[in-house]
């Protein structure tokens, strides 16, 4: 009779603890540059505002410039899922070439649509009827969108290099390129002012030059990793059509989310005291949106540190820590001296509205935590090849946002300046819950072999489970 095999010796406590700490540090080193990159994106507008607002139309020129760019970014959302698609599929040489071909198709399509929107009579419909602009403001918005076609192209092409850098866990290099873009834009502001160059044209030039520099740097950093790609047998070689099929739900959801800013503005303009509600909401979003974007980078972290290699619990703990720390920034706004400085001195709110802004900041404080958990869940859906789960959660986000805003406008029970914050928080929470339910349902379907696709059983490395 053969002796029974001895059970494996339990891992010593200190060894297990040390391994967990090292993993958390590795994820932290990867996440921090991503968070800085996401948060720093919002710094570009205040920088170019100093160029544009000194133009012939003053602040009206900047407002029209911002609306033209808002429409541009709405079109750019057609490729909002392209970087995630690249992180999943561009790991073999064939997969990378097919991914590059997909990005080229998206780039040309978006650029053509952007140009068409600037040509009569479509320009009068888009900028006049849809955005409600007229006169010189409509001309500025239309010309801004046309001038920013190169910037849109640069953003798309940059995504190829970013996907490669994220796959290689080189988020620090990607962050350095973004910071250099912001630095270049900041340098253009005093330089253009000294040269007497102002207005929307030079604002578009400053932003485009910064994006071109970021594209050149990310392409330089990613080139060695692109050149060493191979077609090893264990790597997936997804076709362009397969990658497009995966990306469509992600991009459609991104377009829905891009429309939320317009929708909130429409509802708040009908809320009680819109002259108070709108400024407080936009000032509040000015510091909470960068925190939310940073927290949502948990999606990228989850893709690069999949549960198959690090386990599910460490990643969930890391998401909670990230979201909790980012929430503390909102709680800082409850300190009277900080609130008076930011809301009063920096944002120029009247003293009686500072208290309102503090209350709104308290309401929206949990937003980064929910965003971090949602980003983690979206990363799991991307790893498991479940883009439809992400699309469903984004559809719920938009639905809950509209219903909540509509109910508050029809039957107001809270002040108008709190409507945007509470609606965003409710929509984000329900989006997270929907995504987790969808993942559980998909897991059950896989467990009982209900319509399981062979492509859905691939890990991000392309190795079939």
């Amino acid at each position: 009779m053969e002796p029974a095999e001895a059970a494996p010796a339990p891992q010593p406590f200190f060894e297990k603890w040390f391994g967990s700490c090292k993993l958390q540090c590795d994820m932290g080193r990867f996440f921090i540059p991503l968070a800085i990159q996401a948060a720093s994106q919002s710094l570009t507008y205040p920088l170019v505002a100093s160029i544009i607002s000194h133009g012939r139309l003053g602040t009206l020129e900047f407002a029209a410039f911002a609306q033209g760019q808002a429409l541009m970014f709405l079109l750019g959302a057609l490729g909002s899922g392209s970087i995630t698609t690249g992180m999943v599929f561009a790991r073999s040489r064939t997969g990378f070439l097919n991914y590059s071909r997909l990005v080229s198709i998206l780039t040309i399509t978006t650029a053509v649509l952007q140009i068409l929107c600037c040509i009569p009579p479509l320009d009068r419909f888009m900028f006049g009827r849809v955005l409600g602009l007229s006169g010189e403001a409509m001309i500025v918005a239309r010309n801004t969108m046309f001038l920013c076609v190169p910037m849109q192209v640069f953003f798309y092409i940059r995504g190829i290099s970013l996907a490669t850098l994220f796959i290689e866990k080189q988020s620090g290099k990607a962050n350095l390129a973004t910071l250099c873009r912001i630095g270049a834009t900041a340098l253009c502001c005093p330089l253009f002012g000294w040269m007497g160059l102002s207005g929307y044209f030079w604002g578009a030039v400053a932003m485009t030059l910064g994006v071109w520099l970021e594209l050149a740097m990310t392409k330089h950093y990613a080139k060695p990793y692109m050149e060493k790609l191979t077609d090893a047998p264990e790597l997936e070689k997804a076709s362009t059509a397969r990658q497009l099929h995966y990306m469509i739900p992600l991009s459609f959801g991104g377009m829905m989310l891009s429309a939320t800013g317009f929708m909130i503005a429409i509802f708040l303009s009908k809320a009680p005291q819109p002259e108070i509600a709108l400024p407080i909401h936009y000032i509040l979003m000015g510091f909470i949106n960068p925190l939310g974007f940073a927290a949502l980078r948990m999606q990228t972290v989850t893709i690069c540190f999949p549960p198959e290699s690090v386990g599910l619990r460490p990643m969930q703990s890391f998401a909670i820590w990230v979201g909790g720390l980012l929430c503390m920034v909102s709680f800082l706004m409850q300190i009277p001296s900080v609130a008076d400085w930011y809301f009063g001195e920096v944002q120029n709110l009247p003293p009686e509205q500072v208290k309102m802004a503090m209350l709104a900041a308290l309401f929206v404080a949990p937003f980064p935590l929910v965003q971090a958990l949602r980003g983690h869940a979206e990363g799991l859906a991307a790893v498991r090849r479940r883009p439809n789960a992400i699309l469903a959660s984004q559809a719920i986000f938009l639905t809950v946002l509209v219903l909540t805003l509509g109910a508050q406008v029809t039957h107001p029970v809270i002040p108008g300046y709190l409507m945007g914050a509470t609606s965003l928080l409710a929509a984000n929470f329900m989006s997270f819950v929907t995504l987790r339910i969808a993942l559980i349902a998909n897991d059950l379907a896989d467990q009982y072999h209900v319509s399981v696709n062979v492509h859905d059983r691939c890990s991000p490395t392309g190795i079939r489970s």
Side-chain angles (χ1 to χ4, degrees):
M1 180 177 179
E2 296 183 0
E5 292 185 4
Q11 191 176 19
F13 170 78
F14 287 107
E15 182 180 339
K16 184 178 180 181
W17 177 81
F18 178 77
S20 177
C21 290
K22 183 178 182 302
L23 174 62
Q24 297 287 331
C25 290
D26 290 342
M27 290 190 292
R29 281 195 297 269
F30 180 73
F31 172 79
I32 290 173
L34 290 175
I36 295 173
Q37 182 192 38
S40 61
Q41 302 281 1
S42 60
L43 295 176
T44 306
Y45 272 104
L47 292 173
V48 298
S50 62
I51 299 174
I52 303 167
S53 297
H54 286 84
R56 187 168 54 87
L57 303 179
T59 55
L60 175 62
E61 191 162 331
F62 178 68
F65 177 90
Q67 287 179 290
Q69 284 229 315
L71 189 56
M72 182 199 81
F73 285 124
L74 183 60
L75 285 178
L78 283 170
S80 58
S82 62
I83 295 180
T84 301
T85 302
M87 292 178 63
V88 173
F89 292 106
R91 294 172 180 266
S92 66
R93 182 164 183 78
T94 300
F96 174 81
L97 292 175
N98 291 334
Y99 169 64
S100 300
R101 189 175 298 113
L102 172 63
V103 173
S104 298
I105 294 171
L106 290 170
T107 303
I108 295 171
T109 302
T110 306
V112 169
L113 289 174
Q114 191 165 329
I115 293 171
L116 288 176
C117 288
C118 302
I119 299 176
L122 192 57
D123 62 336
R124 288 190 290 273
F125 173 77
M126 297 300 298
F127 297 98
R129 299 191 63 178
V130 176
L131 294 181
L133 299 175
S134 60
E136 290 189 287
M138 189 189 82
I139 295 173
V140 170
R142 181 197 64 193
N143 292 352
T144 295
M145 191 171 181
F146 182 77
L147 290 169
C148 290
V149 170
M151 183 169 66
Q152 184 85 281
V153 172
F154 293 159
F155 270 130
Y156 266 102
I157 300 174
R158 180 202 62 164
I160 299 175
S161 302
L162 284 182
T164 302
L165 290 174
F166 291 157
I167 290 172
E168 299 294 336
K169 297 183 174 63
Q170 297 296 323
S171 58
K173 292 180 178 179
N175 180 51
L176 177 61
T178 300
L179 293 179
C180 287
R181 166 165 68 92
I182 295 169
T185 308
L187 184 62
C188 287
C189 296
L191 179 62
F192 284 12
W194 177 73
M195 297 173 64
L197 306 175
S198 61
Y200 70 91
F201 175 85
W202 294 106
V205 170
M207 293 186 72
T208 303
L209 287 175
V211 177
W212 175 83
L213 176 62
E214 184 183 22
L215 167 62
M217 292 184 65
T218 53
K219 191 173 182 179
H220 171 72
Y221 289 141
K223 187 177 179 181
Y225 304 111
M226 294 175 182
E227 291 177 345
K228 72 176 186 180
L229 289 173
T230 63
D231 276 337
E234 70 272 11
L235 296 177
E236 186 177 1
K237 306 168 186 65
S239 65
T240 301
R242 162 68 176 142
Q243 295 186 35
L244 176 63
H245 178 74
Y246 176 88
M247 192 200 70
I248 285 174
L250 300 178
S251 294
F252 184 69
M255 293 187 68
M256 290 194 300
L257 295 181
S258 297
T260 57
F262 295 106
M263 301 182 69
I264 292 175
I266 291 171
F267 280 103
L268 290 187
S269 64
K270 301 176 183 178
Q273 296 181 302
E275 69 282 358
I276 295 177
L278 282 167
I280 290 179
H281 173 76
Y282 283 119
I283 288 172
L284 188 68
M285 291 299 105
F287 80 86
I288 203 65
N289 270 342
L291 299 176
F293 290 147
L296 204 56
R297 289 295 194 178
M298 276 302 305
Q299 183 196 68
T300 304
V301 178
T302 305
I303 294 173
C304 291
F305 294 86
E308 291 84 356
S309 60
V310 303
L312 191 58
R313 185 173 296 178
M315 185 60 69
Q316 289 175 334
S317 301
F318 184 71
I320 293 172
W321 274 106
V322 164
L325 290 174
L326 291 173
C327 285
M328 301 311 296
V329 178
S330 296
F331 287 115
L332 287 176
M333 295 299 169
Q334 303 308 307
I335 302 174
S337 58
V338 176
D340 289 336
W341 168 76
Y342 181 75
F343 294 124
E345 296 181 23
V346 176
Q347 299 294 346
N348 201 30
L349 276 180
E352 64 274 9
Q353 294 182 19
V354 171
K355 296 288 186 182
M356 302 177 186
M358 290 175 65
L359 182 58
L362 183 62
F363 266 68
V364 83
F367 186 74
L369 175 59
V370 181
Q371 281 281 81
L373 293 173
R374 177 181 156 201
H376 169 54
E378 287 187 354
L380 290 177
V383 167
R384 299 173 185 176
R385 312 292 170 87
R386 300 296 188 182
N388 288 332
I390 299 177
L391 178 61
S393 72
Q394 291 169 337
I396 290 296
F397 177 94
L398 195 62
T399 303
V400 173
L401 183 72
V402 171
L403 292 177
T404 308
L405 285 169
Q408 291 179 121
V409 169
T410 307
H411 305 287
V413 293
I414 59 176
Y417 62 87
L418 293 178
M419 289 183 179
T422 53
S423 298
L424 276 174
L425 188 59
N428 207 41
F429 178 75
M430 290 307 300
S431 174
F432 162 68
V433 171
T434 301
L435 187 53
R436 297 302 306 193
I437 292 174
L439 287 174
I440 293 172
N442 287 329
D443 287 344
L444 289 173
D446 283 353
Q447 183 178 355
Y448 291 100
H449 309 288
V450 178
S451 67
V452 180
N453 191 311
V454 69
H455 292 292
D456 295 334
R457 295 196 296 267
C458 296
S459 72
T461 59
I463 302 175
R464 301 191 188 282
S465 56

